[in-house]
């Protein structure tokens, strides 16, 4: 995994200078060969078994350095630290194999109002053999003045049923996921920087939560599918959470819930 420390330092130093209402034009491109050791570390942190097929969320961490480069470019209008990941949608045409060489392209798109500020998309395409087989749209929020007529992204009704499992999420989950993903946003690592952004203690990465949920039924995912999640209530570390999943005629709904029943994450597989 790439060391992104220099880019995060740049993000902190340039944060006071960032302003504007346009996203950078262009894309970042990378050729990727899967590292078996890194894949094993990722699988261990997120709860996946080791198979010839890549976990459906794994291309996200492979492309994350490209996203950070775009969001630390001089033209990017917002401070990187403080952006809120609000939704993530992955479309998979077929499973990717460990042995395949991948091409990844990442761009920023669709800056628009949000009820709590402004939102934009990080769009990623992953190709194998010259064919795009994995697509992702991650939507981020930059908090600011509200826009009453703006639409917030998110799922419609999710019916995940009653909890089927209870998980203990250790205090070091943010640090362990940061080590395999490269996402070293300080709100996920230590309580002190998290408190500076209004959290009582460090919070789990949204994409760890999505991966951990999908790992619970990874072998039952269709080869061709779309998996959408909405990140709701931040997941403080450590925590005890309930997991619920229910099959429907056209897929599955799932949820990660606090012990009081409030959703940390709502998801659907179609």
């Amino acid at each position: 995994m790439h060391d992104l420390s220099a880019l995060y330092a740049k993000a902190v130093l340039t944060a006071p200078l960032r302003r504007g209402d346009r996203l950078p034009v262009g894309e970042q491109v990378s050729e990727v060969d899967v590292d078996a050791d890194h894949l094993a570390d990722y699988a261990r942190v997120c709860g996946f078994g080791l198979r010839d097929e890549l976990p459906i969320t794994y291309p996200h961490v492979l492309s994350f350095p490209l996203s950070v480069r775009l969001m630390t470019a001089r033209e990017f209008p917002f401070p990187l630290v403080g952006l809120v990941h609000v939704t993530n949608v992955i479309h998979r045409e077929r499973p990717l194999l460990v042995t395949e060489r991948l091409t990844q392209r990442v761009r920023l798109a669709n800056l628009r109002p949000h009820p709590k500020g402004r939102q934009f998309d990080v769009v990623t395409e992953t190709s194998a053999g010259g064919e795009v087989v994995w697509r992702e749209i991650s939507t981020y929020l930059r908090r600011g003045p509200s826009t009453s007529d703006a639409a917030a992204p998110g799922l419609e009704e999710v019916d995940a049923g009653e909890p089927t499992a209870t998980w203990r999420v250790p205090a070091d989950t943010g640090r362990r996921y940061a080590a395999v993903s490269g996402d070293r946003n300080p709100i996920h690592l230590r309580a002190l920087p998290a408190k500076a952004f209004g959290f009582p203690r460090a919070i789990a990465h949204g994409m760890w939560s999505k991966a951990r949920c999908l790992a619970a039924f990874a072998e039952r995912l269709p080869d061709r599918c779309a998996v959408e999640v909405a990140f709701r209530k931040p997941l403080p570390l450590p925590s005890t959470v309930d997991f619920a999943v229910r099959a429907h005629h056209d897929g599955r709904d799932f949820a990660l819930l606090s012990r009081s029943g409030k959703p940390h994450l709502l998801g659907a597989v179609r």
Side-chain angles (χ1 to χ4, degrees):
M1 178 52 59
H2 297 272
D3 184 355
L4 303 178
S5 301
L7 288 178
Y8 272 103
K10 175 184 176 182
V12 172
L13 291 173
T14 60
L17 307 176
R18 294 187 178 273
R19 53 184 56 86
D21 56 5
R22 293 185 179 181
L23 297 173
V25 176
E27 63 182 10
Q28 288 279 326
V29 183
S30 178
E31 301 285 332
V32 182
D33 291 310
V34 175
D35 180 277
D37 290 337
H38 180 262
L39 175 60
D41 290 341
Y42 175 85
R44 189 176 303 112
V45 170
C46 298
F48 290 101
L50 288 177
R51 306 168 63 193
D52 292 337
E53 300 174 358
L54 298 181
I56 190 170
T57 49
Y58 187 64
H60 173 86
V61 300
L62 295 180
S63 66
F64 186 72
L66 305 182
S67 303
V68 174
R69 289 187 196 123
L70 287 170
M71 290 189 284
T72 54
R74 183 179 60 183
E75 302 86 359
F76 185 68
F78 310 127
L80 176 61
V81 178
L83 292 176
V84 181
H85 196 177
V86 289
T87 65
N88 177 270
V89 185
I90 292 172
H91 295 267
R92 184 174 74 175
E93 298 299 320
R94 63 163 176 84
L96 291 163
L97 301 178
V98 176
T99 53
E100 291 185 287
R101 184 172 179 82
L102 309 177
T103 302
Q104 296 194 296
R105 298 179 179 274
V106 181
R107 59 187 173 85
L108 307 180
N110 200 13
L111 179 61
R112 60 202 186 277
H114 183 281
K116 295 183 179 180
R118 287 184 286 177
Q119 59 188 326
F120 66 94
D121 298 331
V122 179
V123 181
T124 303
E125 294 185 341
T126 299
S127 302
E131 177 188 14
V132 177
V133 294
W134 187 96
R135 299 174 177 85
E136 177 188 51
I137 299 176
S138 282
T139 301
Y140 290 86
L141 164 66
R142 166 61 175 170
R143 293 188 186 276
S146 62
T147 306
S148 59
D149 59 348
L155 288 167
E156 299 298 327
E157 190 70 23
V158 168
D159 180 13
E162 295 298 315
T164 56
T166 298
W167 298 335
R168 178 66 177 168
V169 185
D172 66 349
T173 299
R175 295 189 290 275
R176 293 176 63 219
Y177 186 77
V180 298
S181 69
D183 186 351
R184 297 185 180 278
N185 188 325
I187 64 174
H188 301 303
L189 306 180
R190 305 287 177 188
L192 189 61
K195 288 179 180 178
F197 286 90
F199 304 109
R201 52 191 189 270
I203 61 173
H205 297 72
M207 288 305 292
W208 175 86
S209 299
K210 180 174 184 175
R212 181 65 186 89
C213 290
L214 293 175
F217 56 95
E219 294 185 5
R220 298 191 295 277
L221 280 174
D223 286 353
R224 186 174 187 269
C225 61
V227 185
E228 179 178 1
V229 300
F231 303 113
R232 297 294 178 83
K233 179 182 173 65
L235 174 55
L237 300 171
S239 280
T240 300
V241 295
D242 290 327
F243 172 69
V245 60
R246 173 178 284 179
H248 299 278
H249 71 281
D250 62 343
R252 280 180 169 81
D253 288 351
F254 59 97
L256 195 63
L257 308 166
S258 70
R259 299 314 303 276
S260 65
K262 294 181 179 180
H264 295 295
L265 173 153
L266 297 174
V269 180
R270 300 288 184 264

